[in-house]
Amino acid sequence: MKTTAEIVENARRAGLAIPAFNIPYLPMMAPVVQAVADLDSFALITVARLEWIKFESGSPAAVMAEFRRCEKPDFVRIHLDHVPVIDEDDLPVDTLPIIREAIDLGYQSVMIDGSRLDLAGNIAATRAVVELAHAAGIACEAELGAVLGHESGPLPPYEELFASGKGFTDVADARRFAHETGCDWLSVAIGNVHGAISAGMKDRKKVEARLDLDHLERLAEATGIPLVLHGGSGIKQEYLAGAVARGIAKVNIATEIRQAYEGALRASGKIADAQQAVYVRTCWLIRDYFG
Ligand SMILES: [Zn+2]
């Protein structure tokens, strides 16, 4: 059976991207897996630290138990998303025990997010996790640049942010980072933003992000590894297609399916209805958004 690293690298070479669906509520997992399998597609199932701290996915172990229950190995793999060295509330996180636990639980790839550190700090933190992951035979994703949106408080006006290129992943830094860390996949900032998650903001419609595709092309060339697009919900389709053609080989999708779940649950109070909404949304994403 191919490793997740091989699958993502093959996607990069073919100009395709693997979606990674975030699971902030455990009942979302079954309909996502079912949609991926019904469409004969392939996806990663993923959970970020903030989804067990600020939402209801419980813990890496709880997510893994649910994954085992719904697992369809031909169609889905499990990935550990953002374990931040400095979290969205600016607090330090002891990352290595979390990563070790996930590896022991059987996660098939992991992410370390040192993007709030300076370059040298991010490189050092990432290297330590790359070593652990590679010793276990799995891939490690890292992040360089500022993919904003998870912080509390409003985002600066999007168009200003995009025009200034502030926080975009620097090309020379990316070259050095990929070389010195040996990370397998790199999450880059090219105009993409995470969906807001704070209480007052999380139900709002996400900004329709644009992407700097020329900048992405330079990053792909400088690093030579599969690049990852976080904040994959609500990106204009032509930008998404352009990004996938230029080296984005994994796209994280969180807001689209989370809001489908929460909205349906609010409307009827029934988890089964919320699961059906997630199923329909996931089918749409695979068929029409990535299409
Ligand atoms: Zn992310």
Side-chain angles (χ1 to χ4, degrees):
M1 201 188 239
K2 283 199 175 70
T3 64
T4 309
E6 287 166 340
I7 291 168
V8 173
E9 173 59 17
N10 288 347
R12 181 185 76 91
R13 290 183 186 190
L16 301 171
I18 306 294
F21 293 107
N22 280 80
I23 304 293
Y25 304 95
L26 294 177
M28 289 173 64
M29 190 168 327
V32 168
V33 171
Q34 195 60 49
V36 174
D38 286 353
L39 294 178
D40 199 19
S41 192
F42 183 85
L44 303 183
I45 300 297
T46 186
V47 67
R49 176 178 174 270
L50 69 84
E51 288 166 325
W52 70 78
I53 303 249
K54 300 198 173 181
F55 289 90
E56 296 172 15
S57 59
S59 66
V63 172
M64 192 63 186
E66 183 66 4
F67 183 74
R68 294 281 187 227
R69 210 179 59 77
C70 336
E71 191 170 22
K72 296 182 191 291
D74 290 340
F75 302 103
V76 289
R77 299 283 171 85
I78 189 156
H79 168 72
L80 185 71
D81 191 22
H82 292 273
V83 176
V85 182
I86 307 286
D87 76 6
E88 48 289 338
D89 299 319
D90 261 329
L91 300 171
V93 176
D94 191 7
T95 57
L96 291 182
I98 300 172
I99 302 275
R100 276 198 202 96
E101 186 199 357
I103 290 173
D104 291 345
L105 284 165
Y107 278 72
Q108 294 156 306
S109 50
V110 294
M111 178 187 186
I112 177 74
D113 173 5
S115 64
R116 293 190 181 91
L117 303 174
D118 63 12
L119 180 62
N122 192 351
I123 288 173
T126 300
R127 270 174 86 148
V129 175
V130 167
E131 269 172 36
L132 281 181
H134 287 181
I138 63 172
C140 178
E141 176 180 345
E143 183 164 294
L144 182 66
V147 183
L148 300 176
H150 281 164
E151 301 74 14
S152 45
L155 208 64
Y158 180 74
E159 286 304 322
E160 253 170 59
L161 203 70
F162 188 80
S164 71
K166 199 169 154 267
F168 282 20
T169 307
D170 179 82
V171 175
D173 286 358
R175 179 179 289 113
R176 180 179 158 199
F177 187 90
H179 182 74
E180 293 188 12
T181 63
C183 70
D184 299 271
W185 314 325
L186 184 63
S187 159
V188 292
I190 51 170
N192 46 316
V193 289
H194 286 118
I197 53 150
S198 59
M201 302 287 290
K202 72 182 174 60
D203 299 331
R204 299 234 188 121
K205 191 175 182 320
K206 217 186 136 180
V207 295
E208 195 175 54
R210 298 191 288 138
L211 302 174
D212 185 336
L213 297 178
D214 293 334
H215 193 73
L216 170 62
E217 209 163 321
R218 289 190 285 272
L219 290 169
E221 207 179 275
T223 59
I225 58 174
L227 301 181
V228 182
L229 188 69
H230 282 236
S233 298
I235 289 173
K236 271 192 191 253
Q237 234 164 335
E238 71 237 49
Y239 285 106
L240 181 68
V244 172
R246 286 168 180 78
I248 292 291
K250 170 174 173 281
V251 178
N252 285 25
I253 301 278
T255 308
E256 282 275 359
I257 56 172
R258 173 178 59 76
Q259 289 184 342
Y261 182 88
E262 291 170 339
L265 190 60
R266 240 188 336 260
S268 83
K270 295 197 186 91
I271 285 185
D273 292 345
Q275 288 179 306
Q276 178 60 20
V278 169
Y279 179 83
V280 169
R281 202 66 191 155
T282 307
C283 288
W284 176 83
L285 285 160
I286 293 169
R287 222 171 8 212
D288 301 314
Y289 187 60
F290 283 94

